[in-house]
Amino acid sequence: MYDFLESAGDPDDHGWQDSANCLGVDPDLFFPERGASTREAKEVCRGCVVRGECLEFALQNGEKFGIWGGLSERERRRIRRQRAQAARSVVGA
Ligand code: SF4
């Protein structure tokens, strides 16, 4: 799945991909059409040992599309919002 990331920067920074459960899995599964099921992709992610790294990569790079770290775009947006709120409350404390 992650072949396309080679152009996203230094590939050495993405060593976790070598352990990705989705290696060799059809990328279309992780980038479903709007409204299509994400269940199969999330099943692959469920057993992935680098799920945390994958999710952080997506969060830090603002990945807007696809399933990363077992989470959909909407689920990642929620985490970003929660982190932003937490950061604001620390600053405001
Ligand atoms: S969490 Fe999912 S998308 Fe991320 S590397 Fe693992 S299997 Fe692939």
Side-chain angles (χ1 to χ4, degrees):
M1 167 194 176
Y2 278 111
D3 298 348
F4 66 93
L5 282 178
E6 293 293 326
S7 60
D10 182 354
D12 291 341
D13 289 341
H14 310 303
W16 54 268
Q17 290 169 40
D18 294 341
S19 306
N21 220 20
C22 54
L23 280 178
V25 176
D26 182 359
D28 288 349
L29 208 62
F30 293 84
F31 294 91
E33 296 288 324
R34 181 182 284 270
S37 172
T38 59
R39 195 167 50 88
E40 278 182 85
K42 287 181 173 181
E43 281 296 320
V44 177
C45 295
R46 196 186 312 275
C48 182
V49 296
V50 292
R51 194 171 163 177
E53 288 91 335
C54 178
L55 179 58
E56 279 307 317
F57 177 89
L59 290 171
Q60 286 175 19
N61 288 281
E63 292 291 346
K64 288 191 171 55
F65 304 103
I67 304 297
W68 295 78
L71 299 186
S72 67
E73 298 140 38
R74 192 191 315 164
E75 290 163 333
R76 291 196 307 277
R77 260 202 312 274
R78 191 184 317 139
I79 289 179
R80 276 203 297 271
R81 256 199 320 272
Q82 287 169 347
R83 285 186 179 182
Q85 280 172 355
R88 275 198 300 274
S89 66
V90 167
V91 169

